[in-house]
Amino acid sequence: DAGVIQSPRHEVTEMGQEVTLRCKPISGHNSLFWYRQTMMRGLELLIYFNNNVPIDDSGMPEDRFSAKMPNASFSTLKIQPSEPRDSAVYFCASSLRASSGANVLTFGAGSRLTVL
Amino acid sequence: GDSVTQMEGPVTLSEEAFLTINCTYTATGYPSLFWYVQYPGEGLQLLLKATKADDKGSNKGFEATYRKETTSFHLEKGSVQVSDSAVYFCALSDTGGSYIPTFGRGTSLIVHP
């Protein structure tokens, strides 16, 4: 398996533009997570899906952020309009939810977003 | 709610030194405990895990023992290498509450030759 695949790896855009980040989870995994990582706030959970259904989006900063998972093999995180404070590394992770609670996440390499 | 507390970094060591990174947790149920490692420019990856009290997780020379009595899961390595330079995250996944992993803030390790 190629692992969790994210694109783009790097994105530089101007304030006000729309940004779309993409994620392909590991085949067979039933949970998908979007995280944001910054120096100031560390690793923050934005939203997670179980069986393609959004379960908890309480970590989404505001209405400018939205996430979708139209099928088991694809998810997007969209920011519209983008602002400089959105600059961060965004990670997608997937897992096979286990009843034992040993929920091991596999992370993608991340998408580094810079908003000028 | 669940929480994980890690020692603040950076931790700076010389090659072949002994490493300890402290981690303590608070959980309402019976958590599984994890250490993830993030190398520069990469995503986090699982380093080791332990699913019940007194279990020892180990991988690549790193070890951590699940201590329920002290609610701790400290990471240790007997002799670090320059290639171990990375950020280390302690995490838990609680069966008694949400199964969503809770991560610590991460501890940066810098190993000098």
Side-chain angles (χ1 to χ4, degrees):
Chain A
D1 198 318
V4 176
I5 299 173
Q6 292 187 244
S7 65
R9 289 295 313 274
H10 302 274
E11 174 90 7
V12 179
T13 190
E14 293 189 346
M15 184 173 61
Q17 296 298 306
E18 178 178 294
V19 174
T20 299
L21 308 178
R22 298 172 177 80
C23 175
K24 176 179 170 56
I26 289 177
S27 177
H29 280 188
N30 57 5
S31 294
L32 183 139
F33 305 79
W34 282 101
Y35 287 90
R36 177 171 69 177
Q37 186 178 41
T38 60
M39 289 293 291
M40 289 294 294
R41 301 171 73 95
L43 195 65
E44 302 175 275
L45 176 64
L46 300 177
I47 185 171
Y48 80 95
F49 296 83
N50 193 42
N51 294 321
N52 313 337
V53 176
I55 303 300
D56 185 354
D57 65 355
S58 60
M60 298 285 261
E62 48 198 272
D63 292 345
R64 296 185 298 107
F65 285 69
S66 62
K68 294 182 180 180
M69 191 165 187
N71 57 61
S73 59
F74 184 67
S75 177
T76 59
L77 177 68
K78 185 175 294 187
I79 308 172
Q80 166 64 15
S82 59
E83 297 182 2
R85 60 189 167 132
D86 302 331
S87 297
V89 181
Y90 291 82
F91 288 103
C92 175
S94 69
S95 72
L96 180 62
R97 180 178 177 179
S99 59
S100 68
N103 191 23
V104 177
L105 269 59
T106 301
F107 283 77
S111 294
R112 180 175 294 276
L113 173 65
T114 302
V115 183
L116 303 175
Chain B
D2 298 344
S3 67
V4 174
T5 303
Q6 293 182 233
M7 60 188 292
E8 289 195 20
V11 174
T12 304
L13 296 172
S14 297
E15 204 163 27
E16 300 184 0
F18 184 86
L19 168 71
T20 299
I21 300 178
N22 290 336
C23 171
T24 57
Y25 67 90
T26 302
T28 54
Y30 304 96
S32 295
L33 302 174
F34 310 84
W35 278 100
Y36 285 80
V37 58
Q38 183 180 26
Y39 298 104
E42 300 183 10
L44 283 70
Q45 56 186 273
L46 180 70
L47 179 60
L48 54 84
K49 71 179 192 297
T51 58
K52 61 182 187 294
D54 299 325
D55 270 2
K56 177 185 283 187
S58 61
N59 186 25
K60 300 181 181 180
F62 291 88
E63 294 183 339
T65 300
Y66 188 139
R67 301 288 189 197
K68 189 175 180 181
E69 64 276 13
T70 55
T71 61
S72 65
F73 193 55
H74 305 321
L75 182 67
E76 296 181 336
K77 187 175 185 182
S79 176
V80 294
Q81 305 299 312
V82 172
S83 57
D84 294 327
S85 298
V87 181
Y88 293 81
F89 292 85
C90 186
L92 69 82
S93 179
D94 191 351
T95 56
S98 167
Y99 74 102
I100 302 170
T102 299
F103 287 88
R105 287 295 306 264
T107 302
S108 175
L109 170 66
I110 301 169
V111 180
H112 294 293

